[in-house]
Amino acid sequence: MTDPLDRELLDLARTLDAADPLRSHLDAFADAPGVTAYLDGNSLGRPLRDIPEKLAAFVREDWGTRLIRSWNEQWMALPMELGDRIGRVALGAGAGQTVVADSTSVLIYKLMRAAATADPTRTELVIEAGNFPTDRFLAEGVAAETGLTLRWLEPDPVAGVTVADVAAVVSERTALVSLSHVDYRSGALADMPGITSVTHEAGALMMWDLCHSAGVVPMQLDDWGVDLAVGCTYKYLNGGPGSPAFAYLRRGLHGVLRQPIQGWWSAADIFAMGPEYVPSGDIRQLLSGTPPVTSMLAMQGMLDLIEGSTIESVRAKSRSLTDLAVRAYDAVLAPLGVRLLSPRDAELRGGHVTIGHADFRDVTRKLWAEGIIPDFRFPDGIRLGLSPLSTSHVETITGVLAVRDALESGDF
Ligand SMILES: *Cc1c(COP(=O)(O)O)cnc(C)c1O
């Protein structure tokens, strides 16, 4: 027998699903037998249903039949074409400023290293102590390589970094400020235009990590004057495990900044095979070597879906899902001593909601075995990752109620 409170939450979720203008997209994703709630689309997006057929056709035709001719026919241009599409659909970036390549970590290194030494009179790199490990580790490496000093921001862990936090540390010494748009732990959404603007007032460059916002939170990189940005395609862009990352470099910096891994794909003439390196003057300068074409397939279908829906309506659904998760948290998890580790206001939040409890590591292990898949973050956080096109309101409530049941049973 269902508890009246559970029934009320599930009824609300059903009503919201019935009114959801994007609900038809739920069916576009492959079935995962045995999974009743997938709440980890912020870490690994689900595959679209037609991926097996698309991959098979790629092997049969583009690779199998056209063979090496496909490089000229389509693959050479793919990093730039796909970059332009991501820019248009998700980033507010005009054509010719975004490429798809490498991994997020490698692209962060390339851009950070390029920006670090752009102005030799500037000696500091501003980063955040709570940022994703790879971002921090790369900054430490770039600082060691260039002699720059790291200035660490230590913002409130739930609210995330603010304009005032950044304004307090930037100066004529700052070379670069590098931050995440959406905090990977709390989901806090940084004020991208505000922070970019105070960074520019100090004459420094601004770089954003978009891993947890690309494909779920709209942004206007061009209008907000962002200098550099890097993001993932296997999270909200559903590119599949290890799909390559993307990098944005504002047009005004082309030919000015120079990235350090200057392989042949970044040269002015790839096939000149000349004695010396001449960098390409356009966005291709961010590439290094042969792009991972097979891994660029899956994200294309997702970009079609987001473009067809518009990123604004994806954001509206995302807010609806995270609001519902917070509401369910208040109703059934707060009374059990679970902490809310994300901002309450949807305006200040990205696509996931994080909750904390000392038993969450064990709870997560039990739930995964039962086909309820949230994301565990050390030491005691569960992230409810609610990828808008593939997640329903009922699925969200199912997940929250399962966390409650596991905690109440004490059996994990
Ligand atoms: C997921 C994520 C990464 C991942 O980097 P990879 O090189 O793809 O492993 C980097 N930074 C942030 C903020 C992330 O959320």
Side-chain angles (χ1 to χ4, degrees):
M1 208 182 67
T2 320
D3 177 274
L5 185 55
D6 293 12
R7 200 169 337 112
E8 192 185 312
L9 287 169
L10 282 165
D11 283 348
L12 172 61
R14 279 190 207 101
T15 305
L16 290 168
D17 279 337
D20 168 17
L22 303 182
R23 68 184 175 282
S24 63
H25 294 316
L26 295 169
D27 239 10
F29 297 86
D31 298 320
V35 175
T36 46
Y38 186 63
L39 308 179
D40 216 343
N42 61 326
S43 252
L44 181 67
R46 304 177 75 132
L48 287 164
R49 198 179 281 287
D50 63 3
I51 298 295
E53 174 45 36
K54 279 196 171 152
L55 275 169
F58 168 83
V59 174
R60 208 168 46 235
E61 292 149 29
D62 299 359
W63 181 13
T65 305
R66 297 310 298 161
L67 294 161
I68 202 166
R69 292 171 290 187
S70 278
W71 277 113
N72 294 335
E73 289 164 3
Q74 46 171 325
W75 298 336
M76 292 280 301
L78 193 57
M80 282 66 72
E81 282 177 9
L82 213 41
D84 283 348
R85 286 198 65 202
I86 293 172
R88 185 176 73 239
V89 171
L91 311 181
Q97 303 175 101
T98 311
V99 282
V100 172
D102 307 316
S103 64
T104 301
S105 299
V106 171
L107 285 182
I108 291 174
Y109 171 71
K110 285 157 82 166
L111 291 191
M112 215 180 237
R113 181 68 182 75
T117 49
D119 177 348
T121 68
R122 291 178 176 260
T123 56
E124 292 181 358
L125 173 50
V126 175
I127 55 170
E128 196 228 309
N131 204 347
F132 192 82
T134 211
D135 301 60
R136 291 184 278 113
F137 299 164
L138 288 160
E140 286 177 14
V142 166
E145 222 172 76
T146 58
L148 287 195
T149 303
L150 295 180
R151 288 289 303 262
W152 297 92
L153 294 172
E154 293 185 36
D156 178 86
V158 172
V161 65
T162 63
V163 175
D165 293 333
V166 176
V169 300
V170 289
S171 71
E172 71 290 344
R173 293 185 300 280
T174 313
L176 175 70
V177 176
S178 178
L179 297 170
S180 281
H181 189 201
V182 169
D183 185 297
Y184 80 105
R185 295 163 313 165
S186 68
L189 175 63
D191 177 352
M192 184 186 279
I195 290 174
T196 302
S197 166
V198 294
T199 297
H200 285 164
E201 280 162 28
L205 293 169
M206 183 75 223
M207 168 157 149
W208 288 100
D209 183 322
L210 308 177
C211 282
H212 281 281
S213 59
V216 68
V217 179
M219 63 193 89
Q220 297 297 333
L221 297 186
D222 287 352
D223 287 352
W224 296 342
V226 170
D227 300 300
L228 319 107
V230 173
C232 265
T233 65
Y234 53 78
K235 292 173 178 166
Y236 293 103
L237 294 176
N238 302 51
S243 63
F246 63 84
Y248 166 91
L249 181 66
R250 179 165 65 77
R251 190 179 306 282
L253 295 172
H254 296 187
V256 178
L257 293 195
R258 205 156 141 174
Q259 62 95 356
I261 309 181
Q262 47 182 47
W264 66 311
W265 278 68
S266 72
D269 182 348
I270 299 188
F271 293 106
M273 304 289 169
E276 69 188 21
Y277 175 71
V278 179
S280 162
D282 62 19
I283 193 65
R284 196 163 48 72
Q285 207 262 316
L286 294 190
L287 300 183
S288 293
T290 306
V293 173
T294 314
S295 299
M296 292 165 146
L297 270 177
M299 71 180 85
Q300 297 182 37
M302 188 63 177
L303 286 167
D304 290 339
L305 280 195
I306 298 175
E307 188 159 33
S309 316
T310 78
I311 190 73
E312 287 73 24
S313 64
V314 171
R315 171 68 173 159
K317 169 127 184 229
S318 169
R319 289 166 51 143
S320 175
L321 290 169
T322 58
D323 274 342
L324 183 67
V326 171
R327 182 164 175 165
Y329 157 83
D330 283 335
V332 303
L333 294 178
L336 300 180
V338 176
R339 290 163 292 133
L340 181 65
L341 301 176
S342 291
R344 269 194 177 271
D345 180 354
E347 283 290 320
L348 305 177
R349 202 166 59 212
H352 67 272
V353 171
T354 306
I355 51 182
H357 189 283
D359 291 330
F360 272 174
R361 183 200 291 268
D362 295 329
V363 164
T364 304
R365 190 179 312 117
K366 175 182 159 76
L367 292 181
W368 277 40
E370 294 170 358
I372 305 273
I373 311 200
D375 188 78
F376 177 72
R377 277 292 129 169
F378 186 82
D380 64 352
I382 277 182
R383 292 190 304 186
L384 305 168
L386 309 170
S387 189
L389 293 185
S390 62
T391 311
S392 70
H393 296 85
V394 166
E395 203 175 352
T396 303
I397 292 298
T398 303
V400 173
L401 294 180
V403 171
R404 190 269 324 266
D405 290 346
L407 274 178
E408 263 184 0
S409 76
D411 165 31
F412 36 75

